[in-house]
Each structure stands twice: as C-alpha cells, then as structure tokens.
C-alpha cells in the first residue's frame, strides 16, 4: 500500500499514464476532419512551393482562410519526418502528444496559483497532494487526451490558453509584489524587474495570446476577458493608470506575433487582415449571408449542422432533413423546398437563391 501511494504521488507516474492514454488514442483511434486536409494542403504548398495557399482549378492561389500557426507546425514536422500529408500524420500526432502533456503541467501550475492552499502558504504536503491530483486529472481526462489523435489546432489552443492564464493569474495574485511568484533567476534583474513585474507579466500574456491567435482566431477573446478581470482588480487597488499602461503594452505585445501575418496579407492579398476571414471564405468567394441568417432562426442542435450547414455547396440538402421548427407555416416549408430544389440541381448556392433565404 505504501509503495502504491508513493507510485501515485510520483508525477512521472501520472505523465506516464497520460502518455499511455494518448498513445492509445493515436494508435487505435486516429481521426481526421475536413479541416485536417485543408491544413495539410497549406503546409505542403508552403513547404514545397513557398506559397501559403491552395490549388484552385489547377492554380496555386494565396489565401488567408486559415491562420498559419498549425500549418507551420505541420511544415516543421514534415521536414523532420521526411514525409508529408497522410504519410506524416502519425508523426504529427506524436508531436501533439508531447504538446498535450506539456499542457497538463501548465494546468498543475495554474491549479496551484489559484488554490487557497497556496494563498495561505499551507503546509507542503497539502500542496503536493493538490499537484498530484491535478496532474492525474489532467493527464487522464479522455476528453482532452483524444484531441492528440486528431491533426487539428485544439492541442495548441489548450497549451497556449493555459500558458496565458498562468500569467494573468500571476498578475491578479501579485498584489504589491509579484516577485514572490517568479523564478529566482528573474530577481537578478534587480529593482526594475521588481517595480515592473506586473507590466512584464502582462506583456508576456499578450504575446502568448497573439501566438495562440496564429492557431485559433478567437484567442483575442481571452485577452479581452482577462482585461475586464484585471480592470476590476486594479480599480479596487486604486491603480487605474497602471492598468491602462499594462493593457496598452499587452496589446502591443499581442500584435507582435500577428504582424508578419498581417504584412503578408497586405502585400499578397492587398487587405489588412490580422485574423482569418470571419466566414473562412476564399478571396472573391460568395458568402451566403441570407442562408446563414435563415439558419440562425432555428439552428440550435449540433446534429442539424451535419444535415444542413456543412452540406452547403457540396451535397444536396433535403427539406426532410430540416427540423419542423424551421418552418412557421406549411407555405414557408413549400417555399424553402422550392429553393432547395433549385440548389440541388447544381449544389452551388447562387446569389438569387441566397436572396430567397434572406427574404424568408
């Protein structure tokens, strides 16, 4: 029993269990999605042709429909593995396993920072138990681990979100002196670091949020919500000016990783674009605003996305697959069925058909 307790308390045991679980998913249940192929095309074309784009009608076209962070990871993996596309997916997933285990460690750090035990300088055994239990939960949670077996951005989003939250929590916890939470090596920088540690943490958080945005364009929401929390904390401390200064510095740091992407879009695509387009459309591609507005009046369940939304411009859409709550009257259902009959002839939504949905 004593040996079992020591084994469970060892962080290497939790990481080994996490590794085994992720390898189980990778080797037994590897998966892909439509976005997987898109990311792979970006990475291969970027690596082989030096163009961040996809082939359209036999011509390689620069696009900005996906952020470049994950294709960059794929390209580096392809260089190391000597393979690309489907042949390199195992190497990609193994890399994601390592990234996901690093996220588990960050989750432990975050748990310690927000725990009452750390705030109250509790006895070391309590903190050790907290670390051990948190690491086991993070490492063995299947809902997180299974993403390592899918070539998508989720594992990097989780890693960078956890890292950003660590820095923001350090800011909130800092009160008068944040130095107590920083590595000893930082303290050698002297009084400047001690006086401006709050701002430094904000800059690091902003930079990592920008880095995360290169993988997922919704990451800026994390920065904005964290600013709201920090504003509430700093107003209570009477440090409004410091908060404004920190927010400005964090905002500038946030833009640093995104600047090359924005410059590329300005030079290549002649548009100022720090993120991916809202609807992930190709340059000049028609956006079905009317169809999407109609969907919003009834789309509440994920399963209906498979039957309607994700079939648009690729598969027939049958009126029988649309739930009855989408129709106010039998006449409206007949009207929509007629529009869908026109669409199903070509499986490409025209501006005229989109206008019909907008009118409905």
């Amino acid at each position: 029993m004593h040996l079992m307790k020591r084994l469970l308390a060892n962080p290497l045991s939790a990481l080994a269990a996490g590794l085994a679980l992720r390898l189980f998913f990778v080797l037994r249940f590897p998966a892909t999605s439509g976005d997987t192929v898109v990311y792979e095309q970006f990475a291969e074309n970027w690596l082989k042709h030096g163009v961040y784009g996809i082939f359209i009608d036999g011509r390689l076209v620069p696009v900005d429909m996906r952020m470049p962070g994950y294709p960059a990871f794929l390209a580096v993996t392809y260089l190391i593995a000597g393979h690309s596309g489907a042949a390199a997916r195992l190497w990609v997933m193994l890399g994601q396993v390592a990234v996901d285990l690093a996220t588990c460690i960050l989750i432990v750090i975050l748990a310690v920072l927000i725990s009452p035990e750390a705030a109250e300088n509790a006895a070391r055994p309590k903190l050790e138990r907290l670390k051990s239990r948190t690491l086991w939960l993070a490492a063995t949670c299947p809902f997180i681990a299974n993403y390592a077996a899918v070539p998508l951005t989720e594992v990097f989003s989780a890693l960078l979100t956890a890292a950003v939250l660590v820095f923001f929590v350090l800011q909130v916890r800092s009160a008068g002196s944040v130095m107590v939470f920083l590595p000893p090596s930082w303290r050698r920088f002297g009084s400047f670091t001690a006086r401006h540690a709050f701002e430094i943490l904000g800059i690091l958080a902003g930079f990592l949020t920008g880095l995360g945005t290169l993988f997922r364009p919704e990451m800026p929401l994390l920065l904005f919500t964290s600013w709201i929390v920090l504003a509430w904390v700093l107003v209570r401390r009477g440090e409004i000016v410091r908060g404004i200064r920190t927010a400005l510095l964090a905002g500038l740091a946030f833009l640093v990783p995104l600047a090359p992407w924005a410059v590329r879009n300005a030079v290549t695509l002649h548009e100022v674009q720090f993120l991916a387009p809202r609807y992930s459309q190709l340059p000049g591609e028609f956006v079905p605003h009317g169809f999407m507005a109609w969907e919003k009046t009834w789309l509440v369940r994920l399963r209906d996305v498979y039957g309607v939304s994700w079939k648009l411009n690729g598969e027939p859409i049958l009126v029988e697959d649309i739930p009855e709550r989408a129709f106010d009257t039998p006449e409206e259902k007949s009207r929509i069925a007629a529009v869908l009959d026109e669409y199903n002839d070509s499986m490409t939504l025209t501006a005229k058909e989109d206008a019909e949905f907008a009118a409905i």
Side-chain angles (χ1 to χ4, degrees), residues 72-88:
F73 162 72
L74 292 179
V76 171
T77 304
Y78 294 168
L79 279 174
I80 296 172
H83 302 285
S84 62

Side-chain angles (χ1 to χ4, degrees), residues 341-352:
D341 285 341
E342 293 182 24
Y343 159 79
N344 289 334
D345 289 337
S346 62
M347 287 185 291
T348 299
L349 192 72
T350 65
K352 175 178 177 295

Side-chain angles (χ1 to χ4, degrees), residues 5 12 16 30 75 87 96 119 159 161-162 191 226 256 295 331 353 355:
K5 286 184 178 180
L12 293 179
Q96 293 184 168
L159 174 77
T161 297
S191 60
S226 299
V256 170
E295 276 188 317
E331 291 75 18
E353 293 159 358

